[in-house]
Amino acid sequence: MAYSSDDLTAQLAFLAEADQLKSVERANTLIDLSRQENSAEHSWHLTLYAMVLAGQAGPGVDISRVIRMLILHDLVEIDVGDVPLHSANGQAHGAPEIQAAEAAAARRIFGLLPEAQGAEFLALWQEFEAAETPDAIFAKSLDRTQPLVQNLASDGVGWRKYDVTYDNVVSRVGSKITRGLPRVWDHLHGKLRQHFARGGRAGH
Amino acid sequence: MAYSSDDLTAQLAFLAEADQLKSVERANTLIDLSRQENSAEHSWHLTLYAMVLAGQAGPGVDISRVIRMLILHDLVEIDVGDVPLHSANGQAHGAPEIQAAEAAAARRIFGLLPEAQGAEFLALWQEFEAAETPDAIFAKSLDRTQPLVQNLASDGVGWRKYDVTYDNVVSRVGSKITRGLPRVWDHLHGKLRQHFARGGRAGH
């Protein structure tokens, strides 16, 4: 697709706006516990997860489309912030008012781009959010796997903040990973049991 | 490609090792000047640049391969650190001893993966470094464009640190961007002239 000089100005403005994702803090930390992870580096890590775990993808999954979804998936947090999965006892993430705010953010942010490109990116983000296509299901499974691995490797510091139990992780995280990465869930489920058996939860 | 349980353990170890890229500091800052950029979020930003500027790619460029190169391109910095382009008056970046250290880092880090996958990733990184194929030329151009945009948007704070001149940017950055993104270079070249005409350099 060819773009005009105005298009290039709009594209560079979008890319500058995207810089703000580097300042959105997430609930989990880096593995070395030095600080909270931000949503931009989390997004990069997920694209690497997609490349590395591509062999686990089910039939019909196009890894290149999955990677594109993951690059875009958190840009709405520039306006809305990260809503931790386990905050408000698991009720905030996915609440209708958060979903409406994220949809508005997507329209504003992708609306900075030339029209056809903005529509293409918005559609890809909407497909990810809906989690119905093979690509979106795989992408969502990766998005649940990476924080689980970060939490297991950092003694559950991100979980303790929200008093997260073993059952919470199984229902909010395991249910999603199972859809797209069943073998990875089997592998991590064992480690999760060990973590909570050792008393790895708030105040224990 | 199917993987064994041992393969999955190796893949998760590689993904945990990769977490350290989030702690590698670069010369330039975020656009809001709040802190130095790190190499993981820089890598994410580059993948977004690749998606947004795909229409500028020359014939024979496969954007999905470019994105994969960009996801991997800085992992060697886990061992070697970021060597700023303008440090040591432009002599450190690309020096034989740095290239040898990065090649050793690539063998170690990609060597954590199952053998076939590690070899595939290593070959992709080597192709990026050699900057000869259409995909690698485009990826390298993006890798020069993003810090230029960051510097222009943050009053050249990353340039001032190394006393960088207009001519330095043209020779070290412009020459590379021109190869893969000539129209983007034309657009940014004008802004660069304005920046330095306003006295945007160290001590001026």
Side-chain angles (χ1 to χ4, degrees), chain A residues 33-87:
Chain A
L33 299 173
S34 57
R35 60 172 173 80
Q36 300 305 115
E37 188 184 47
N38 73 59
S39 293
E41 62 198 7
H42 158 74
S43 298
W44 165 77
H45 211 171
L46 284 185
T47 62
L48 190 62
Y49 268 71
M51 282 183 72
V52 169
L53 299 178
Q56 307 279 345
V61 172
D62 176 344
I63 295 295
S64 296
R65 284 191 86 241
V66 168
I67 289 173
R68 282 160 208 252
M69 278 182 193
L70 293 169
I71 293 167
L72 302 179
H73 85 293
D74 270 347
L75 279 168
V76 295
E77 296 183 357
I78 289 172
D79 287 358
V80 182
D82 177 60
V83 180
L85 185 63
H86 298 292
S87 62

Side-chain angles (χ1 to χ4, degrees), chain A residues 1 3 9 11 15 19 22 31 35 37-38 41 44-45 52 55 64 68 71 117 150 183 187, chain B residues 1 3 9 11 15 19 22 31 35 37-38 41 44-45 52 55 64 68 71 117 150 183 187:
Chain A
M1 209 184 311
Y3 289 105
T9 299
Q11 288 169 323
L15 288 165
D19 200 56
K22 301 167 189 170
I31 290 175
R35 60 172 173 80
E37 188 184 47
N38 73 59
E41 62 198 7
W44 165 77
H45 211 171
V52 169
S64 296
R68 282 160 208 252
I71 293 167
Q117 190 169 44
Q150 296 289 118
R183 287 186 49 219
H187 181 92
Chain B
M1 207 183 310
Y3 290 105
T9 299
Q11 289 169 323
L15 288 166
D19 199 57
K22 300 168 188 170
I31 289 176
R35 60 173 173 81
E37 188 184 46
N38 72 59
E41 62 199 6
W44 165 77
H45 211 172
V52 169
S64 296
R68 280 160 209 252
I71 292 167
Q117 189 170 44
Q150 297 288 119
R183 288 186 50 217
H187 181 93

Side-chain angles (χ1 to χ4, degrees), chain B residues 42-66:
Chain B
H42 158 74
S43 297
W44 165 77
H45 211 172
L46 284 184
T47 62
L48 190 62
Y49 268 71
M51 283 183 72
V52 169
L53 299 178
Q56 306 279 345
V61 173
D62 175 344
I63 294 294
S64 296
R65 284 190 85 241
V66 168

Side-chain angles (χ1 to χ4, degrees), chain A:
Chain A
M1 209 184 311
Y3 289 105
S4 71
S5 165
D6 282 354
D7 285 342
L8 186 54
T9 299
Q11 288 169 323
L12 291 172
F14 169 84
L15 288 165
E17 184 80 7
D19 200 56
Q20 296 173 64
L21 194 62
K22 301 167 189 170
S23 300
V24 174
E25 275 199 353
R26 292 172 43 80
N28 61 272
T29 65
L30 304 192
I31 290 175
D32 68 5
L33 299 173
S34 57
R35 60 172 173 80
Q36 300 305 115
E37 188 184 47
N38 73 59
S39 293
E41 62 198 7
H42 158 74
S43 298
W44 165 77
H45 211 171
L46 284 185
T47 62
L48 190 62
Y49 268 71
M51 282 183 72
V52 169
L53 299 178
Q56 307 279 345
V61 172
D62 176 344
I63 295 295
S64 296
R65 284 191 86 241
V66 168
I67 289 173
R68 282 160 208 252
M69 278 182 193
L70 293 169
I71 293 167
L72 302 179
H73 85 293
D74 270 347
L75 279 168
V76 295
E77 296 183 357
I78 289 172
D79 287 358
V80 182
D82 177 60
V83 180
L85 185 63
H86 298 292
S87 62
N89 200 27
Q91 298 305 300
H93 195 95
E97 58 273 25
I98 297 290
Q99 290 190 319
E102 289 185 345
R107 287 191 299 273
R108 182 189 76 74
I109 295 166
F110 297 129
L112 296 172
L113 286 165
E115 195 172 340
Q117 190 169 44
E120 180 197 328
F121 285 20
L122 179 63
L124 204 54
W125 177 79
Q126 288 167 334
E127 181 181 335
F128 171 80
E129 281 297 298
E132 288 167 359
T133 63
D135 291 346
I137 289 169
F138 189 65
K140 282 273 181 186
S141 293
L142 293 165
D143 192 29
R144 289 292 184 276
T145 299
Q146 187 261 0
L148 174 57
V149 172
Q150 296 289 118
N151 268 301
L152 284 171
S154 56
D155 197 29
V157 66
W159 287 329
R160 267 178 272 153
K161 199 180 308 180
Y162 297 107
D163 215 358
V164 173
T165 65
Y166 167 82
D167 289 343
N168 294 154
V169 180
V170 170
S171 68
R172 295 174 196 155
V173 176
S175 60
K176 298 287 167 51
I177 299 179
T178 301
R179 291 186 73 197
L181 285 163
R183 287 186 49 219
V184 171
W185 172 247
D186 287 347
H187 181 92
L188 294 174
H189 196 177
K191 295 183 189 301
L192 190 71
R193 273 206 205 87
Q194 288 166 22
H195 172 82
F196 281 96
R198 285 198 315 269
R201 60 168 293 193
H204 291 236

Side-chain angles (χ1 to χ4, degrees), chain B residues 22-34:
Chain B
K22 300 168 188 170
S23 300
V24 174
E25 274 200 356
R26 291 171 44 79
N28 62 272
T29 64
L30 303 192
I31 289 176
D32 68 5
L33 299 173
S34 58

